[in-house]
Amino acid sequence: MHQTNSQNYLEKNLRAVTNIMVAQFLQKLTYEEVQITVQELLDLAEKCKNLKSHELPSESCHQLMATFLQHICNNERMADKRVFSDCCNINKTARHKCFLLHKKDDAGYSEIFQISNPEQICEMGKESQVYIYETSRKHPFLYGPTILTMSVCYETAVQSCCHEENKTIKYVREISLRHHHLYEIGIRFNHKVATAVELVLLTKKLPKICCEGNAVVCVLGRSQLMNYICSKQAILSSKFTPCCELPEPFRGECIVNSENDNKPDLSSLPHRRFLYEYSRRHPELALPVILRVDTVYQNLLGKCCKLENPLECCSHGEGMFQRVVRESHERVKNQCDLRKKLGDSNFHDRLIVLYTKKAPQLSAQELIVLTKNMAAAATKCCPLNQEHQFVCMEDSAKLILGALCRRHEAEPINAAVGHCCDDSYAFRKPCFDDLQVDGTYISSPLSCDQVINLKEDLCKAQEEELQTEKQKLLSNLVKQKLYAAEMQFQPITVDFAHLVETCCQAEKSETCFQEEVSLFPCLFS
């Protein structure tokens, strides 16, 4: 019955779902070109509606993906336009991965359409398909069912979901970032790591996220899972009742964003299927921390099972697990304590210094954006109570470092960064925390005026622009003296602020800047 209901739901929304899939893979096609391709695929997809008795829906829909990719390869103009010719020359399994690697996240396409004014609601029927197109091409890793939910929300102007435009757009961006991160795990690490992540998410209440770009399978899979969850509420969770009263597609989005269930009494359960059981017992722990514990457990098993008395050896495991959790807690606490001591602005400056030393190959602007995200995470998470603070910081760090690792994959930064990105997903954050100065970096000698670019325009700049210019200066100076102590850079920010204030009050600001720059302490002596 669940399968039939889900199949009906998929058929009803097949055009929209196919629109999502095409726009996510072929991001630079025009809206009209996408619609032509969608119609061609729908003409080929009749077998997904008329399944053979022995054929499961998901199997048929996977065939649709293969058909879609072959359709692109058969269309010479389309393949050339999207630079997919290299993908078309390899076998079907590798071809799918190749197409996924060509996706460009947030590549500067037009902004997502805002929710229309009330007087324009009658026009929304036409606009919702355009909304799907724009959202899909801008966020190629965003989960298909989420886009479908937002499009229905857009089309019907449901107040509970769409009454604040900025909230809707922010939600889409945040979820898109999470889905891209899950996709990266599946590509970068082996199947065991990806499966472990999915298992922990499921255990904590989230549905399995499909990261392979097949929007048809994603929509079908989520619908089946939500139907099953709602039919087993009494067994699975008490938190889902309000969600299960909603229609599709809002039901799925509601369940995804609902609270984790109350911690059950699992004291009598044996520790079979360790990751699953440990995750159930510790809903208060963040995903990366649970994976760290599981990594320690797997290493312990590998060691103990070779000994004469493996049970005695394994008995030390609980203490090891507690140590992993404690050390993870301490890292977060130390960061939050430092932020409290320094204040937001100085804390961000310190992150600039630290990460310029770790990854000096990044441009000053890239380092500012990276550390700005880290500082924003601390601002959001540190005021929370200890348990939520811990989960929030770990959760934010995995996404921020995931973006850094994608940058490294696109253009290698240095060997140490590569090691942290590729060695262990579970221990990625501790690895970056412990990263030291990159000794392989050789800076190009720069004079003071090459590093400091102070002009009269700064007098008209907003506070955020001044902060950015100060941090560019700070990063460029650190690159010149990677091994200098942090305290040597502290006067720089004070001197910069004083210099700008002095010269902007002078009668001839430009002349003042030119004279003062020559006296600025650049640490080049």
Side-chain angles (χ1 to χ4, degrees):
M1 182 179 68
H2 299 317
Q3 182 171 303
T4 301
N5 291 341
S6 299
Q7 186 70 11
N8 291 339
Y9 175 69
L10 176 62
E11 290 179 10
K12 182 181 176 182
N13 293 280
L14 192 56
R15 175 173 289 278
V17 174
T18 309
N19 199 338
I20 292 168
M21 185 171 71
V22 174
Q24 286 188 324
F25 274 98
L26 305 174
Q27 291 169 268
K28 289 196 174 179
L29 288 188
T30 66
Y31 175 74
E32 289 74 18
E33 288 173 321
V34 167
Q35 297 315 304
I36 290 170
T37 306
V38 166
Q39 188 56 55
E40 291 171 346
L41 282 172
L42 290 175
D43 292 341
L44 293 170
E46 286 301 314
K47 65 178 179 179
C48 242
K49 290 185 179 180
N50 302 296
L51 298 173
K52 299 172 185 176
S53 58
H54 65 278
E55 198 172 23
L56 292 173
S58 58
E59 292 173 350
S60 178
C61 295
H62 278 298
Q63 291 167 12
L64 177 61
M65 170 59 74
T67 302
F68 168 51
L69 298 182
Q70 188 61 49
H71 181 72
I72 296 175
C73 293
N74 290 343
N75 188 325
E76 227 173 87
R77 178 189 58 80
M78 191 184 294
D80 288 341
K81 184 173 183 178
R82 299 302 309 121
V83 200
F84 281 142
S85 54
D86 55 333
C87 300
C88 293
N89 293 327
I90 53 183
N91 66 51
K92 290 183 179 179
T93 303
R95 178 185 292 174
H96 188 182
K97 182 176 180 179
C98 179
F99 271 85
L100 286 169
L101 292 172
H102 274 78
K103 287 186 175 186
K104 302 297 181 187
D105 197 7
D106 201 9
Y109 303 123
S110 59
E111 283 297 315
I112 297 175
F113 279 20
Q114 304 262 329
I115 306 301
S116 299
N117 294 325
E119 62 269 19
Q120 295 176 315
I121 289 177
C122 292
E123 301 292 326
M124 283 186 174
K126 289 187 293 184
E127 292 180 2
S128 64
Q129 289 298 316
V130 181
Y131 178 87
I132 288 175
Y133 163 73
E134 290 287 351
T135 305
S136 300
R137 69 201 289 257
K138 185 176 177 64
H139 300 285
F141 298 97
L142 184 56
Y143 195 39
T146 298
I147 298 177
L148 195 58
T149 303
M150 300 315 295
S151 72
V152 173
C153 176
Y154 180 87
E155 185 176 8
T156 60
V158 176
Q159 291 302 310
S160 63
C161 187
C162 301
H163 64 288
E164 291 187 46
E165 299 168 15
N166 291 335
K167 275 191 175 181
T168 303
I169 293 172
K170 184 179 178 182
Y171 175 76
V172 168
R173 286 176 177 161
E174 183 177 338
I175 296 297
S176 178
L177 180 62
R178 293 181 181 281
H179 294 162
H180 194 171
H181 181 71
L182 289 167
Y183 156 79
E184 180 227 344
I185 296 169
I187 292 294
R188 186 182 292 272
F189 297 98
N190 61 39
H191 179 67
K192 282 187 176 180
V193 175
T195 302
V197 169
E198 290 173 353
L199 177 61
V200 174
L201 290 175
L202 275 168
T203 308
K204 286 179 171 293
K205 167 268 307 166
L206 291 176
K208 178 179 176 181
I209 302 297
C210 174
C211 307
E212 298 179 344
N214 193 334
V216 178
V217 171
C218 285
V219 169
L220 182 64
R222 173 181 274 197
S223 180
Q224 288 174 336
L225 182 57
M226 296 310 152
N227 286 340
Y228 177 79
I229 286 173
C230 289
S231 71
K232 303 286 185 181
Q233 291 176 63
I235 301 172
L236 296 176
S237 173
S238 59
K239 306 287 186 180
F240 296 150
T241 301
C243 299
C244 291
E245 292 172 356
L246 297 174
E248 287 284 10
F250 301 105
R251 176 193 295 178
E253 216 64 27
C254 178
I255 289 176
V256 167
N257 292 292
S258 64
E259 293 180 47
N260 289 340
D261 199 9
N262 300 324
K263 184 176 179 179
D265 179 13
L266 299 172
S267 56
S268 62
L269 287 180
H271 275 266
R272 295 170 300 173
R273 300 172 298 179
F274 177 80
L275 180 59
Y276 168 71
E277 297 293 355
Y278 191 86
S279 182
R280 294 179 74 199
R281 284 169 166 75
H282 296 282
E284 77 284 0
L285 296 181
L287 171 100
V289 180
I290 292 173
L291 294 180
R292 278 171 218 155
V293 170
D294 185 61
T295 300
V296 169
Y297 174 73
Q298 298 301 332
N299 291 338
L300 181 68
L301 274 188
K303 172 187 171 184
C304 293
C305 290
K306 296 175 183 176
L307 304 178
E308 287 185 12
N309 190 348
L311 290 180
E312 193 279 329
C313 175
C314 286
S315 67
H316 302 291
E318 188 59 38
M320 298 169 69
F321 308 151
Q322 290 174 0
R323 185 163 61 249
V324 169
V325 175
R326 185 172 62 251
E327 288 174 356
S328 299
H329 266 289
E330 286 172 356
R331 287 176 184 273
V332 169
K333 184 179 183 301
N334 291 340
Q335 275 194 299
C336 287
D337 288 348
L338 185 63
R339 173 188 165 270
K340 186 175 181 179
K341 176 183 175 182
L342 298 178
D344 285 336
S345 180
N346 290 334
F347 178 67
H348 188 184
D349 290 346
R350 185 176 187 275
L351 291 174
I352 289 276
V353 174
L354 287 176
Y355 273 84
T356 300
K357 287 172 175 278
K358 296 173 195 279
Q361 295 83 357
L362 292 174
S363 69
Q365 186 58 43
E366 286 177 309
L367 286 160
I368 289 170
V369 171
L370 170 68
T371 53
K372 184 178 181 179
N373 289 333
M374 292 177 171
T379 300
K380 178 181 75 172
C381 302
C382 290
L384 303 175
N385 66 47
Q386 188 175 12
E387 182 178 307
H388 288 96
Q389 175 194 93
F390 179 45
V391 173
C392 180
M393 285 288 276
E394 284 281 355
D395 191 47
S396 298
K398 79 175 186 235
L399 298 178
I400 294 167
L401 296 177
L404 177 60
C405 289
R406 290 195 295 276
R407 162 61 176 83
H408 172 77
E409 187 167 7
E411 186 181 341
I413 299 170
N414 61 50
V417 168
H419 171 76
C420 287
C421 287
D422 297 335
D423 184 56
S424 168
Y425 174 70
F427 284 91
R428 183 182 276 180
K429 180 182 180 295
C431 183
F432 274 104
D433 287 346
D434 295 339
L435 216 54
Q436 301 299 309
V437 175
D438 178 27
T440 66
Y441 180 74
I442 301 174
S443 62
S444 303
L446 297 174
S447 62
C448 205
D449 60 345
Q450 287 177 294
V451 175
I452 305 173
N453 185 23
L454 298 179
K455 294 184 178 180
E456 193 174 1
D457 293 348
L458 283 176
C459 298
K460 301 174 185 176
Q462 299 296 318
E463 183 61 34
E464 189 173 348
E465 293 176 77
L466 288 173
Q467 180 78 350
T468 298
E469 287 303 317
K470 178 193 74 175
Q471 290 172 338
K472 281 182 182 177
L473 166 63
L474 183 59
S475 180
N476 285 328
L477 292 176
V478 174
K479 289 182 183 185
Q480 297 300 305
K481 292 285 183 178
L482 284 180
Y483 288 95
E486 282 182 49
M487 63 182 64
Q488 288 186 254
F489 298 104
Q490 289 175 0
I492 300 297
T493 56
V494 177
D495 292 343
F496 174 87
H498 177 71
L499 188 155
V500 171
E501 183 181 359
T502 300
C503 288
C504 288
Q505 292 174 355
E507 188 175 335
K508 295 183 178 179
S509 298
E510 193 70 33
T511 304
C512 176
F513 277 126
Q514 291 172 358
E515 292 173 352
E516 291 292 330
V517 162
S518 63
L519 303 175
F520 203 82
C522 284
L523 304 179
F524 295 142
S525 57

